[in-house]
Structures are given as C-alpha cells and as structure tokens.
Amino acid sequence: MMGLLKGMGVTLKTMTKKKVTRMYPREPMKMPDRFRGVQHFDPELCIVCNQCVRVCPTDCITLTGRKHPDPGKRGKVIETYDINFEICILCDLCTEVCPTEAVVMTGNFELATYSRDDLFKNMEWLHDNNKNIRSVNNVNAKGATK
C-alpha cells in the first residue's frame, strides 16, 4: 500500500511541472551546431584528392574522377561521389580531411526508410542536402582558429 502512495505522490508532483516532450514530426528539433548529421557535398569544390575515401573507417564512400578534358588545365574532374548510409557512422572524419570543404556536415539526421537500397545516396542527393549546414566546419579553411 505504501508503494502505491509513493507512486501517486510522484505522479502528482510531475503533473504540475513543465512538459519536456515534443510533438516531434510537427515540431522539429533544433540540433546543436556541432551535431554530426548527414553530409552535404559540393562537387564544384571537390578536387578528387580521395582523402575522404582513405580516411573513412567503414569504407562507405565511393569517389571516382578522370583527368580534366581540357589539356591546358591540371587536376581531375569528379564523376561520382556516393555514400552508403547503411554503414556510415557519421564520424565527421571525411569533413575534417577535406582541404576544400567540399564535404561538410549538416544538422539533418532523418534517414528512415523501408528499403536498404534507399540508404545509398549519390552526388546529386548529397548536393541537394543543403539545409541546416553547420557553421562550424574544419579549421584549415576560412581562417578559423581553435
């Protein structure tokens, strides 16, 4: 009987407190600026250096490029950039090593789907994922300091 009274006491106390839950899909959550969400990719900034592919601990990034078609220009032109979010752990290592900040993290985290095939995202999808790009990116660009 005493346990029932204690339980009712806790219930009555918490009924008067402010609610901490959110109506999630209708009321979106504001993530902190350092949150590691789904990547945004800008193909115009990519120099096809493959550093993001080499540093990825899960090998979920696929990057291909070819020599520049104009013989007077140096460098490579990107052909494909794909990320398999089925195995991506959103570790932020690909954004830290990118010298041109072609890959940056966003605050987007919703990847729920009914098919695993939908978790394989291509360059166009990653480029269109440009909402909620976090303002704090890697240190070697834009003169940011620690």
Side-chain angles (χ1 to χ4, degrees), residues 90-105:
L90 301 173
C91 63
D92 195 23
L93 292 176
C94 57
T95 64
E96 289 180 12
V97 299
C98 185
T100 60
E101 283 197 5
V103 182
V104 292
M105 297 302 254

Side-chain angles (χ1 to χ4, degrees), residues 18 63 79 83 94 104 111 143:
K18 183 181 174 188
L63 173 64
E79 288 183 334
I83 298 180
C94 57
V104 292
L111 284 173

Side-chain angles (χ1 to χ4, degrees), residues 67-77:
K67 284 189 148 192
H68 204 286
D70 186 6
K73 292 189 177 180
R74 294 177 46 196
K76 294 182 178 180
V77 176

Side-chain angles (χ1 to χ4, degrees), residues 114-127:
Y114 289 106
S115 171
R116 289 184 174 188
D117 295 334
D118 294 338
L119 293 173
F120 190 80
K121 304 297 184 184
N122 61 8
M123 182 169 46
E124 290 79 25
W125 188 92
L126 291 166
H127 181 63

Side-chain angles (χ1 to χ4, degrees), residues 8 32 49 66 77 88 98 112 130 136:
M8 291 302 286
C49 63
R66 57 179 163 78
V77 176
C88 180
C98 185
N130 57 2
V136 178

Side-chain angles (χ1 to χ4, degrees), residues 28-91:
M29 295 173 52
K30 174 73 173 138
M31 302 311 281
D33 199 39
R34 295 289 298 173
F35 178 75
R36 297 184 305 216
V38 179
Q39 293 92 337
H40 165 71
F41 178 69
D42 192 354
E44 295 164 2
L45 296 176
C46 184
I47 58 173
V48 194
C49 63
N50 280 322
Q51 288 187 23
C52 55
V53 176
R54 285 193 295 269
V55 78
C56 183
T58 60
D59 292 329
C60 64
I61 300 173
T62 307
L63 173 64
T64 60
R66 57 179 163 78
K67 284 189 148 192
H68 204 286
D70 186 6
K73 292 189 177 180
R74 294 177 46 196
K76 294 182 178 180
V77 176
I78 189 165
E79 288 183 334
T80 63
Y81 185 86
D82 304 319
I83 298 180
N84 183 0
F85 284 105
E86 185 177 359
I87 57 176
C88 180
I89 57 175
L90 301 173
C91 63

